Amino acid sequence: MLGQRFGHYLIEQKLGEGGMGVVYRAHDEKLRRDVALKFLGILPAGSSASHENVLQEARAISALNHPNICTIYEVGEIEGKPYIAMEYVEGRPLAMEIPSNGMSLDQVERYGMQLADALGHAHSRGIIHRDLKAANVIVTSQGRLKVLDFGISRRLDTGQGGSETTRFDKSWESQHTFTGTLPYVAPEVLKGEDGDARSDIWSLGVLIYEMAAGRRPFKGATAFELSAAILRERAPLITPPLPPILQSVIDRCLDKDPGQRYQSAGEVRAALEAAATSSRTHDYFTVMTQREGNSSSSRTTRNFTLVAISLLFAAGFGYWFYGRSGSKRKTPTVGAIQSVAVLPLENLSGDPAQDYFAEGMTDALITELSQIKKLRVISRTSVMQYRHTQKPLQEIAQELNVDAVVEGSVVRSGDRVRISAKLMQTNVEGALWADNFERKFTDVLALQSDVATAIARGIQVELSVGEQSQLARSRSVVPDAYEAYLKGRYEAAKRTPESLQDAGTYFQKAIAKDETFAAAYAALADTYLSMSIYQMAPAEALIPKAKEAVEKALQLDDRLADAHTSLAAIRLWHLEGGEIENEFQRAIALDPGYAQSLHWYALYLGAVGRQEESIREIKLAREIDPKSLIINANVGFLYYLAGDYNHAEEAEKNTIRMDPSFSPAYSYLGQIYVAKKQYPEAIGEFRTATSLSPGDIAGLADLAHGYAISGMKSEAEEILRGLESAQGKKYVSTYEFAVVYAGFHDVNETLDWLEKGWEERNGRLVNLGVHPQFAFLRKEKKFQNIVERIWGTRLIGEPKP
C-alpha cells in the first residue's frame, strides 16, 4: 500500500490496524494536506449491514465541527474499498499519557472539560460516541484533546477477542448487543438496554477516574468478572483523596442508574468548572500531600477542609472573606500602582448556571475601573483566560504586565448581591486592601461603583472630578432586564454564530423589559455589527438594525463609549464615511481603557493609509488586552498593510504561539507569504487555516488566491466552482470572489466583483486602497473610482516597497 495512489490520495505511512480496518497517513494531492485515511475492514459473515451504512453514518458525523473532535473530510469508495478521510492529528493516545499514579488535578480538570465539550457538541447534533476510551483520544503537542471515531465505532469487527476489544452488534439494526470497549461500557448497555448520551457520560466518568487515579475503576480477570463489577460494584475511592467536588463529579458520572447521572455533557462541564474553581480558593483549602514515585508524574493533592466547606454551603451565601468582614488593611510599603488586572470573580452561589452573573460582575467592574485615565486596566478578554488557572498571582501579574491584581467573589441570594474583593500588589506580601460590599439586586450598578471606587482608593490613585462623578453615577435596574442583558453579554463574548444569535435574543428581551436600558441597545448594536463583520448575512440585512439600536442607545445615554465605538464601526464597515474618526476619538475620551475602541480605530487608520498611527494605536490596544488573539493578529495585519512584512510575519507567529488553533493568524501569515512571493509557504498556511475552520468561506478564497497566484490554476478553479455552487445554499460574500480572481490577476473579473461589493456595501472593501492583494489594480480608473466612492479621495495610500 505504501507509495500507492488511491484517487487523489498518496499513501505515505501505516498508522495502525484494528477492527474497522487499516489507517494510513496519506497526502491529499487535491487540497495539498495530510489526512488519516481509514479503509474499512471486511464485515462479519452473514451481517445484514453494509459498508454503505457505515459511510452514511460517517457522512452524518462529518457535520461535527469542534476543536476537540477529529474532523471527517470525506467518505466514499476507491477501487471497491470503502474509506473515510479524516483530519490527521499529530500526537499520542491519551492512554499513553496517563502515568500509573495519575495526572495532576489541573490536567484532569482541563482534559475533562475538553472531553465534555466534545461530547456536548456531538450530543446536541444527535450523535453519540458509543466507544469513548483513552485509546480513542489523541493529545496534541499543544495539550489539546482530539476525540476520534464518533458514532462509527459500532461497526467494529466482532471477531476481535478479549475484554479490551471494542464490540458491536452483528446487525446494523440490532439494539440488544452492546457497542463499546468493555471497561468503559455503561451498566444499562451491558443489560441490553438502549444506550444514549448518558451512556457516553458513564464512559467519560471512567476516563476522568482513569486520568485521576492512573487506573480504571472496575477490574476483572475475565470479561464476565469485569461485567459483574461494572453492574454491581462501586468504584473504589482514589487515594490520595481527590478534592470532594471533583470526586463527586466522578461519582455522579458513574452512577449505575442513568437517571441519576448528569443528564447532559454540559452539566458535566459546568461541574468540572466548579471543581476547578474550588481548587483556586486556597484561602480555605490547603495544599497537602504529594504522591510518591516518579517526581515528573507526581501530583500535588489538595486536602479540602471539610469544616470550611460545610460552613460555606450551610451559610447559604457561601461567602469567602479576605480577613474579617468589613476589615481593611494597608501596608506602608505600597509602591506606585499604575496598572491592574481584575481576575474573574468566583461564583460562590453553588450553582454553575450562575457563571454568567459572576462574569458579568467582573466585566462591569473592569468597565468601571477603566474609566480612570491614570490607571491601565486589563481588558475582559485577557483576564477571563485565568478563570480556572492554578498560576500564582505573581506569575499572572507578570504575564499581564501589571502592578497589582484584584481577585474576589460574588454571590447572589434572593434579591441581595454580595461582592468580596481584595487588592494584591506583586511586590508586597499579603493583601493591601480587602472588603465586602452588599446591596439589593436592583442597586447592582451602585454596587459595582462602590467596589470600583474602593479599589481606586486602595490603589491610592487620584481621581479627577469627572471620574468621581462618573463612578458615582448609577441607576436602579429592572431585574429581568438586567438578567437578560448579562446573559447576552455572556453569549456575545463567545463570538460564535450560534452564540451571537442567542446574544441578540437576550438583548432584545432586555429591551422589551426596560425600554430605557441604553447599554442593552448598545450591546444589541454591537451584536448585529459582529454578525456583519463575520459575514453571517449580507450587510444590508444587519447594518440598518445595528444603526437603529446604536442611535437609540446614544439618545438615551450619550456617554456610552461602546455605543460611540459601534457607531464609528458601523460607518466604517458599511462604507458610509462621515464622522468616523471623531466617533472613535469620542469613545476613547469617554473610556480610555476600552480596548475595542483602540483596536477598531487602529484598523480605520490602517485602511486610510495612516500606517504609523495605526500601528501605535493597535499596540496600545494590545497593552490593555494582551491576551486577545484577534488584536495580536491584527498587529501583524497592520504591519502587512504598511508593507513591513518581516514585522508582520513575526507578529502572526507570536499569535500562533499563543494559540495554535487560531485560524485567522494562519490566514494573515499566508497573505504575508504571498506578498513575499514565498508561495509554497503561503499555501501551507492557508491550508492550515482551512483545516482549523473547515466551513470558513474567506479561508477557502484565500487558499484559492494562493493557488492561482502560484500557478496552480486548476486547484484554484476547483475551489472557485465550489464557491459558485455554494451561493444558492449560503451567503458567499462578493469580496471572496474578488480575492480569488485577484489571484489570477484577472483585472475585469476582479473589478466586477469589487463593484458588486461596493453595491452591497461589503465592509471588507475598507482596506481596498492599501491592500497588497489588489496592488495590481491601482492604476485602473475603475479601481480608483471605487476607492474614491469609499473614502472621497482617489487613492488613500500604499504600503512601503
Side-chain angles (χ1 to χ4, degrees), residues 321-584:
F321 297 93
Y322 301 100
R324 288 173 291 187
S325 176
S327 67
K328 299 177 179 133
R329 294 194 291 128
K330 290 184 181 178
T331 172
T333 59
V334 179
I337 295 176
Q338 298 177 322
S339 55
V340 66
V342 181
L343 295 186
L345 297 176
E346 305 285 0
N347 167 23
L348 294 184
S349 66
D351 180 8
Q354 290 290 313
D355 281 350
Y356 77 91
F357 187 78
E359 287 199 16
M361 293 300 98
T362 306
D363 198 9
L365 189 53
I366 292 169
T367 300
E368 293 283 340
L369 287 172
S370 67
Q371 297 172 52
I372 302 172
K373 293 180 173 61
K374 292 182 180 178
L375 193 63
R376 179 169 62 90
V377 184
I378 299 302
S379 184
R380 176 192 190 281
T381 309
S382 290
V383 298
M384 282 302 171
Q385 299 185 30
Y386 295 94
R387 185 173 165 197
H388 299 302
T389 187
Q390 304 295 318
K391 291 182 178 179
L393 292 181
Q394 181 99 12
E395 187 176 342
I396 294 173
Q398 185 176 0
E399 289 181 2
L400 295 176
N401 190 28
V402 293
D403 304 318
V405 171
V406 175
E407 63 174 4
S409 64
V410 61
V411 65
R412 180 180 173 192
S413 181
D415 67 344
R416 307 292 294 181
V417 179
R418 184 181 181 92
I419 293 177
S420 297
K422 70 175 178 180
L423 174 68
M424 310 288 291
Q425 191 172 6
T426 55
N427 60 348
V428 177
E429 186 175 351
L432 301 179
W433 165 91
D435 210 345
N436 307 290
F437 304 82
E438 184 176 339
R439 281 184 183 256
K440 287 185 177 180
F441 182 64
T442 52
D443 297 325
V444 69
L445 300 183
L447 174 63
Q448 295 160 3
S449 295
D450 290 345
V451 181
T453 302
I455 292 171
R457 289 173 181 157
I459 291 171
Q460 301 181 6
V461 64
E462 183 180 348
L463 300 177
S464 68
V465 174
E467 288 166 349
Q468 292 178 32
S469 174
Q470 181 66 19
L471 286 172
R473 293 175 74 217
S474 66
R475 63 188 287 269
S476 296
V477 302
V478 177
D480 287 348
Y482 198 69
E483 282 269 8
Y485 171 74
L486 290 181
K487 289 178 180 177
R489 292 293 296 260
Y490 184 75
E491 291 299 324
K494 299 175 184 176
R495 283 297 195 259
T496 66
E498 296 81 8
S499 68
L500 287 172
Q501 294 282 3
D502 291 341
T505 301
Y506 279 123
F507 293 138
Q508 289 168 343
K509 181 179 178 181
I511 291 166
K513 296 289 183 181
D514 180 3
E515 294 182 353
T516 67
F517 198 168
Y521 284 103
L524 180 61
D526 185 68
T527 301
Y528 285 133
L529 180 59
S530 295
M531 290 178 178
S532 178
I533 292 171
Y534 296 154
Q535 305 205 359
M536 292 170 57
E540 59 262 29
L542 296 169
I543 293 298
K545 296 179 182 178
K547 188 181 293 185
E548 181 183 1
V550 78
E551 288 174 349
K552 182 65 174 178
L554 290 172
Q555 178 186 336
L556 291 167
D557 187 351
D558 188 50
R559 294 186 57 82
L560 289 175
D562 54 345
H564 285 284
T565 300
S566 293
L567 180 57
I570 288 167
R571 290 173 177 171
L572 172 62
W573 280 298
H574 199 224
L575 311 182
E576 293 184 6
E579 297 295 318
I580 296 174
E581 184 167 12
N582 286 347
E583 286 296 332
F584 277 131

Side-chain angles (χ1 to χ4, degrees), residues 15 55-56 77 79 106 122 130 136 182 185 273 392 435 450 493 561 632 638 647 707 772:
L15 298 177
L55 299 181
Q56 286 176 1
E77 286 196 28
E79 300 177 9
D106 176 64
R130 299 184 179 89
N136 268 343
L182 186 51
V185 171
E273 284 184 1
D435 210 345
D450 290 345
N632 277 277
L638 289 174
H647 278 106
Y707 281 142

Side-chain angles (χ1 to χ4, degrees), residues 60-72 87 117-118 121-122 125 127 146 497-498 690-696:
I61 298 160
S62 67
L64 297 180
N65 181 16
H66 191 276
N68 296 119
I69 296 176
C70 180
T71 304
I72 291 181
E87 173 187 6
D117 281 342
H121 178 80
R125 288 154 179 77
I127 294 172
K146 288 278 190 177
E498 296 81 8
T690 57
S691 69
L692 289 169
S693 299
D696 182 22

Side-chain angles (χ1 to χ4, degrees), residues 8 57 75 94 279 293 403 460 543 615 751 780 799:
H8 53 89
E57 184 81 3
V75 296
L94 179 60
S279 298
D403 304 318
Q460 301 181 6
I543 293 298
I615 292 167
L751 287 172
E780 299 290 331

